[in-house]
Amino acid sequence: KQAAFRSDIGALLEQVGTGKESLSFMKRRMRRLAAQWASAARRLDDSLRSQWREQKRILVHVGFLTEESGDVFSPKVLKGGPLGEMVQWADILTALHILGHNLKISVSLKELQGFLGVPPGRGSCPLTGPLPFDLIYTDYHGLQQMRQHMGLSLRKYKCHIRVIDTFGTEPAYNHEDYATLHGYRTNWGYWNLNCRQYMTMFPHTPDNSFMGFVAEELNDTERLSIQRNKVDSMAVVYGKEASMWKGKERFLAILHRYMDIHGTVYYETQRPPEVPAFVKNHGLLPQQELQQLLRKAKLFIGFGFPYEGPAPLEAIANGCIFLQPMFKPSHSSLNHEFFKGKPTSRQVSSQHPYAEQYIGRPHVITVDFNNSQEFESAIRDIMRTKVEPYLPYEYTCEGMLERVHAYIQNQVGLCSSPGIPPSPFVLLPNSSALAWASNISTPPSWPPLSALRLLASLEGQSCIDACQSAGLICEPAFYRFVNIKEAFSGLEVQCEGVEAELNHIFPAFSVESSECGLQKDPLLFSCAGANNKYHRLCPCRDYRKGQVALCRDCL
Ligand code: U2F
């Protein structure tokens, strides 16, 4: 059955249900952005020129909101607790609905069991019939619940699952045996999924799929009125919980010399002691009122926590400059409590690496806050700089719809055996990169094989960085094509011998020992990961401007 774009969200709102503050928050957001989604759907429909889109049966099971997982988030919605996850789930639900799929939503174990046809009761019970869904979106909590209640049949249906995983899961952590043997075992990882089944909030490692969320878009009238009403001396502090302000008096005092400071910190009866008296605290605001505040403000300033939330994108989209601390050394699961136990070694170089690396100046300024001079001169610069509101395409409704559509239609068979690389094949030098010359029919690939560019990384460099420095992005789906000994000769690498091993750095080679290694287990293909002794073989691809998840010919 063909999926038809929907422009009305009434049915969706009804499906989301009631009874939790988190659900009310999500529904308020859906209503607020409904018109924006509808017009994005019209534009995408036009640009896809009524391309055939199959309607999928989709189950969305939001594990972290279930009572069975403790649901620690819902009670904090109105008290400054994390909202980023709810923003994202609201947007995922809306995108799936607008794209015209057949949606079921579950926020409790009972609903999950009902939808899956698992008899309620104790213990795990395999499903009897076929899985009634083409796709299941859930999170790590939901995955655990499905394991407990579906028993062995989970293994059979694993490929239909997508895990919404804010900070990402790297292959070394995902591979159960490898993680256990090599010290990558965490509370969350080791599910042996295809890493592209993990979907992140920002484009972290390309080993995962980038799901994202949306921010508010402006029409011409709004742009104009923002331009007119900006107050160059008005700053809003990023941080809705008092603890995020702790120990920041020094920075606040410097900032206060130049600007009026506003905050949206939750409080019960009195001003929290962490928030100085010269700050105008509005208390936690509804999203809509926060947007209004951001429209007037010139500066949105972060003090290091929360990491990687939606708010900086909202601020930039409303014409603020985002000033944030650089982390030296970077924060990661090795040195910071917050990231400890998360299944990634990613080095977080600032409070919001996406804002730093993908947006940058003039909208984003990342400085060492411990250097008071640098901090102060950044503030002075910001007051003088004129910026336009800016939102990367991938965070617009159209961008998210386009991406989710592309995943749903093309990310199929993520678990089927990779197939034997085509032979014979030719690797042709192409200026700095090497291009895959393919006129051979191969097992179908998405992204299309024509996008592949093979590179060797520098010693100690990951494929994420190697591809990036060539203006490309690492594409894990292409590893199977370059994990062949001919790839080494194509790059004119001299190999003493070529061994296949379980090592998330492979395929790779060492110049010193003339040792070349191929990857033995496709589950360990990894864009992340680097080793000082090795140059890695990196399959890269191009990407669309403002839509890093998709290559030029991906749609
Ligand atoms: C991130 O979670 P947070 O919820 O702390 O992220 P924020 O960027 O602070 O804000 C999320 C939303 O809260 C809204 C704002 C954002 O969309 O519009 N909001 C509001 O409605 N009223 C206010 O007064 C202030 C903000 C991240 F998203 C999570 O994944 C992480 O777990 C968490 C910890 O790093 O940080």
Side-chain angles (χ1 to χ4, degrees):
K1 191 177 163 195
Q2 160 98 283
F5 280 101
R6 297 192 181 102
S7 54
D8 185 84
I9 61 159
L12 174 65
L13 290 171
E14 226 158 90
Q15 269 187 297
V16 171
T18 51
K20 279 175 187 288
E21 207 50 64
S22 46
L23 299 179
S24 315
F25 174 86
M26 286 162 60
K27 287 204 279 194
R28 282 196 296 276
R29 178 173 177 83
M30 289 169 170
R31 275 192 213 101
R32 188 164 63 86
L33 298 180
Q36 186 174 316
W37 281 107
S39 73
R42 279 193 297 276
R43 289 194 300 274
L44 183 62
D45 198 7
D46 284 348
S47 74
L48 293 178
R49 283 189 221 92
S50 308
Q51 196 186 97
W52 172 267
R53 296 184 304 113
E54 191 175 292
Q55 187 187 49
K56 306 278 186 185
R57 299 162 304 163
I58 300 180
L59 171 63
V60 178
H61 175 61
V62 191
F64 81 103
L65 292 182
T66 62
E67 296 304 324
E68 291 80 5
S69 79
D71 189 15
V72 291
F73 282 59
S74 298
K76 291 195 195 154
V77 167
L78 300 175
K79 300 188 171 185
L83 296 172
E85 283 76 2
M86 277 162 242
V87 164
Q88 191 184 25
W89 278 106
D91 294 352
I92 292 170
L93 286 167
T94 316
L96 296 173
H97 171 84
I98 297 270
L99 284 170
H101 296 293
N102 183 345
L103 211 56
K104 295 279 183 286
I105 304 168
S106 127
V107 291
S108 73
L109 204 55
K110 216 170 124 211
E111 291 166 305
L112 175 69
Q113 290 171 326
F115 286 134
L116 291 175
V118 181
R122 285 187 299 137
S124 68
C125 209
L127 290 186
T128 41
L131 185 74
F133 295 100
D134 301 304
L135 279 168
I136 301 178
Y137 290 85
T138 188
D139 52 18
Y140 269 126
H141 291 286
L143 201 54
Q144 233 135 21
Q145 293 169 346
M146 283 159 56
R147 175 158 65 189
Q148 273 162 24
H149 297 273
M150 284 164 78
L152 286 180
S153 47
L154 177 66
R155 194 171 288 186
K156 202 161 100 202
Y157 302 127
K158 223 158 95 173
C159 299
H160 300 269
I161 294 175
R162 302 290 180 270
V163 182
I164 304 303
D165 170 18
T166 310
F167 298 98
T169 297
E170 291 176 1
Y173 294 80
N174 168 62
H175 190 292
E176 182 171 15
D177 294 341
Y178 189 78
T180 311
L181 270 170
H182 299 277
Y184 295 108
R185 192 154 175 141
T186 63
N187 287 340
W188 300 107
Y190 66 87
W191 283 87
N192 292 321
L193 300 181
N194 181 321
C195 273
R196 275 168 288 155
Q197 289 173 267
Y198 299 105
M199 308 189 94
T200 56
M201 187 130 161
F202 288 93
H204 301 314
T205 174
D207 293 307
N208 302 143
S209 300
F210 159 49
M211 171 55 84
F213 57 95
V214 304
E216 200 171 22
E217 293 160 58
L218 305 171
N219 60 31
D220 293 343
T221 343
E222 286 163 336
R223 274 179 178 269
L224 217 80
S225 97
I226 288 186
Q227 235 174 43
R228 266 197 227 113
N229 299 327
K230 270 285 168 211
V231 181
D232 282 337
S233 60
M234 175 174 166
V236 175
V237 172
Y238 183 16
K240 46 188 150 54
E241 225 187 29
S243 63
M244 297 165 181
W245 294 58
K246 209 169 155 198
K248 309 302 173 194
E249 299 80 4
R250 196 162 61 88
F251 307 125
L252 288 165
I254 298 178
L255 178 60
H256 182 55
R257 272 189 240 144
Y258 298 90
M259 301 178 93
D260 298 324
I261 308 179
H262 294 245
T264 64
V265 188
Y266 167 75
Y267 64 94
E268 224 125 79
T269 46
Q270 299 168 9
R271 163 185 297 274
E274 293 86 346
V275 180
F278 55 73
V279 172
K280 167 129 189 51
N281 186 21
H282 302 260
L284 189 73
L285 293 176
Q287 281 204 309
Q288 189 153 21
E289 287 175 38
L290 175 68
Q291 307 287 328
Q292 297 307 323
L293 194 67
L294 293 170
R295 286 181 185 189
K296 277 173 71 185
K298 184 66 182 286
L299 166 63
F300 189 61
I301 181 170
F303 287 128
F305 194 82
Y307 296 110
E308 311 187 304
L313 291 192
E314 295 167 1
I316 297 161
N318 282 296
C320 297
I321 295 178
F322 177 49
L323 175 61
Q324 62 161 351
M326 168 190 295
F327 295 153
K328 257 195 211 160
S330 293
H331 295 186
S332 75
S333 52
L334 295 177
N335 65 7
H336 260 260
E337 205 45 50
F338 181 85
F339 288 105
K340 215 164 260 174
K342 296 204 169 26
T344 170
S345 309
R346 190 162 60 91
Q347 299 288 318
V348 179
S349 55
S350 59
Q351 182 171 7
H352 206 295
Y354 178 87
E356 178 190 359
Q357 291 155 22
Y358 283 77
I359 303 179
R361 280 172 187 267
H363 308 280
V364 179
I365 299 185
T366 307
V367 299
D368 179 3
F369 277 26
N370 293 320
N371 181 335
S372 309
Q373 264 181 357
E374 222 181 283
F375 179 69
E376 210 167 323
S377 82
I379 294 168
R380 281 194 302 259
D381 279 352
I382 288 167
M383 295 180 70
R384 285 193 298 258
T385 312
K386 286 263 163 292
V387 292
E388 290 282 312
Y390 174 68
L391 182 63
Y393 178 70
E394 55 206 2
Y395 283 97
T396 64
C397 292
E398 189 183 339
M400 182 161 177
L401 287 172
E402 178 185 88
R403 183 168 67 248
V404 175
H405 148 73
Y407 286 148
I408 290 180
Q409 303 301 320
N410 298 296
Q411 277 190 337
V412 287
L414 282 185
C415 302
S416 56
S417 75
I420 300 146
S423 173
F425 40 81
V426 208
L427 288 164
L428 286 182
N430 162 18
S431 63
S432 65
L434 286 165
W436 181 275
S438 92
N439 46 7
I440 6 166
S441 68
T442 55
S445 165
W446 190 82
L449 199 49
S450 55
L452 168 61
R453 299 287 176 277
L454 174 63
L455 293 181
S457 80
L458 303 174
E459 252 168 9
Q461 193 182 36
S462 73
C463 286
I464 301 177
D465 294 341
C467 295
Q468 201 172 59
S469 54
L472 301 166
I473 183 151
C474 178
E475 177 48 69
F478 288 158
Y479 266 110
R480 61 183 170 123
F481 299 110
V482 307
N483 189 41
I484 47 175
K485 59 180 191 308
E486 289 77 4
F488 295 111
S489 31
L491 289 165
E492 289 169 9
V493 176
Q494 309 293 331
C495 300
E496 287 268 310
V498 183
E499 305 266 351
E501 264 181 52
L502 283 176
N503 182 339
H504 73 286
I505 303 297
F506 286 0
F509 60 91
S510 151
V511 173
E512 205 188 321
S513 63
S514 304
E515 177 201 334
C516 296
L518 292 176
Q519 182 55 255
K520 208 168 171 179
D521 187 342
L523 265 193
L524 276 180
F525 285 144
S526 169
C527 293
N531 182 307
N532 282 333
K533 280 197 232 138
Y534 289 101
H535 297 265
R536 307 195 52 203
L537 293 194
C538 302
C540 312
R541 65 160 166 83
D542 61 72
Y543 56 86
R544 294 169 171 244
K545 195 166 171 282
Q547 181 75 291
V548 71
L550 303 179
C551 67
R552 235 174 285 135
D553 297 328
C554 271
L555 279 177

